[in-house]
Amino acid sequence: MLIQALRRLPGVGVKSAQRMAFHLLQHDREGARAMARALTSATDSVKHCALCHTFTEAEVCRTCLDPQRDRSKLCVVETPADQSAVERTAAFKGLYFVLMGKLNPLDGIGPKDIGLQKLFARATDGSVQEVILATNFTAEGEATAHVIGEALKAKGLKVTRLARGVPAGSELEYVDLGTIAHALVDRR
Amino acid sequence: MLIQALRRLPGVGVKSAQRMAFHLLQHDREGARAMARALTSATDSVKHCALCHTFTEAEVCRTCLDPQRDRSKLCVVETPADQSAVERTAAFKGLYFVLMGKLNPLDGIGPKDIGLQKLFARATDGSVQEVILATNFTAEGEATAHVIGEALKAKGLKVTRLARGVPAGSELEYVDLGTIAHALVDRR
């Protein structure tokens, strides 16, 4: 039963689940107990931030409460992991909206499932002047950015998108053609 | 805290743990609760079989209790996963002893840590006539087999080892030289 439960983790098949169960039971029962406590406490207390929709145990998350952040800029990302990637650059001092997913009609993920209404309400609260779309550069991420961008432009907001281009440190020879084409169009 | 707890799983780094935590909290809170229950119940109730040392919730595991098994043959494996690999072949009808590890002096894993005393007691209980060493064909597995084999031969038991050779379905051209050399020596 432990093996079946572990298989519900993304990217974990039978063999990995067996290996994990063996490791926990043979070498790290304290780790297994800690994991059980963390899972129970997280499922009981983690909810969504009233402002940015990310995971938090409070009503409003710490980033949204930070008085140092620039309230006129709102960066839209897909997941908390994407948010922390942007945070690590230290190049953005505004606030975030975390979609917690992306539009994916094939999987039945529509505008309601990723809290677009909440985003529209948040973006039009009067303090936001620019919305920066930082969804992933995948087909779904681009479609999500397009839908959000059109809707917010219709409400008169300034909407920008992360620049596409050649990654830092890469050689042109090994960069795919679509990326080079975008970098040419977006040249500055 | 959930991410830290998930990182204690073998083979799970920061990114995987983030992805797992996001998946559980956003898409599968019921799965997270099921996993917490499975972890708690397994750490509380899983112990070692009194006869073969594998994981079981009873005093003696189901395989050891099975009256159909041949009690004169004892197959020694490293882990429950190795045991189920042998079981799936349906080519062995004897009983098992599961070491729950292997000798690894570099990591400080000595004879006491893998229950060799329990194996020696089990192998000399009078019913066992042949011990088949099915530890892995790695450096540590071979060393473990060697140590066990010498000790049991000294007690007058018949000790055999799984045959080394060319894997079924493989072409000689792509088989490593050590394997071919062993297959030549063990030819029949």
Side-chain angles (χ1 to χ4, degrees), chain B:
Chain B
M1 9 50 307
L2 179 55
I3 292 173
Q4 266 81 53
L6 289 167
R7 285 196 60 192
R8 293 179 81 151
L9 292 169
V12 174
V14 189
K15 298 235 166 183
S16 308
Q18 280 182 346
R19 206 157 48 92
M20 288 171 171
F22 177 74
H23 173 81
L24 289 173
L25 290 174
Q26 184 70 8
H27 300 297
D28 194 11
R29 293 211 179 198
E30 191 31 62
R33 281 188 206 100
M35 204 176 304
R37 284 192 301 270
L39 285 163
T40 306
S41 119
T43 47
D44 287 350
S45 63
V46 170
K47 46 194 178 182
H48 292 285
C49 171
L51 288 176
C52 77
H53 202 54
T54 195
F55 289 132
T56 173
E57 298 191 8
E59 197 57 38
V60 173
C61 76
R62 245 187 291 177
T63 314
C64 287
L65 285 176
D66 186 347
Q68 310 262 302
R69 317 279 314 197
D70 177 355
R71 262 137 232 290
S72 69
K73 292 192 172 55
L74 191 69
C75 180
V76 178
V77 293
E78 290 178 17
T79 65
D82 294 336
Q83 180 185 359
S84 58
V86 177
E87 275 296 275
R88 280 197 301 275
T89 68
F92 180 68
K93 289 289 160 226
L95 291 175
Y96 292 91
F97 189 90
V98 187
L99 295 170
M100 293 292 181
K102 53 190 172 247
L103 289 179
N104 193 341
L106 290 180
D107 288 351
I109 312 283
K112 278 182 195 164
D113 301 298
I114 60 171
L116 285 195
Q117 288 312 316
K118 194 169 168 183
L119 165 61
F120 295 153
R122 174 78 182 82
T124 54
D125 70 350
S127 61
V128 176
Q129 276 156 31
E130 179 184 355
V131 175
I132 299 149
L133 300 175
T135 54
N136 288 323
F137 285 80
T138 57
E140 294 94 347
E142 294 277 20
T144 308
H146 180 77
V147 169
I148 296 173
E150 292 303 306
L152 291 179
K153 274 179 211 157
K155 294 180 200 288
L157 276 156
K158 181 180 173 194
V159 179
T160 56
R161 178 90 169 106
L162 284 193
R164 276 174 296 210
V166 181
S170 58
E171 297 180 62
L172 281 188
E173 186 180 349
Y174 301 108
V175 173
D176 71 292
L177 299 183
T179 299
I180 295 181
H182 278 303
L184 271 171
V185 173
D186 292 351
R187 68 185 181 277
R188 25 170 257 166

Side-chain angles (χ1 to χ4, degrees), chain A residues 43-120:
Chain A
T43 47
D44 287 350
S45 63
V46 171
K47 46 194 180 182
H48 293 285
C49 171
L51 288 176
C52 77
H53 202 54
T54 196
F55 289 132
T56 173
E57 299 192 9
E59 197 58 38
V60 174
C61 76
R62 243 188 292 175
T63 314
C64 287
L65 285 176
D66 186 348
Q68 310 261 303
R69 317 281 312 200
D70 178 354
R71 263 136 231 289
S72 69
K73 291 193 173 55
L74 191 69
C75 179
V76 178
V77 292
E78 290 178 19
T79 65
D82 294 336
Q83 179 184 1
S84 58
V86 177
E87 275 296 275
R88 279 197 301 275
T89 67
F92 181 69
K93 288 289 159 226
L95 291 175
Y96 292 90
F97 189 89
V98 187
L99 294 170
M100 293 292 180
K102 53 191 171 243
L103 288 179
N104 193 342
L106 290 180
D107 287 351
I109 312 282
K112 278 181 193 164
D113 301 296
I114 59 170
L116 285 195
Q117 289 312 316
K118 193 168 168 182
L119 165 60
F120 295 155

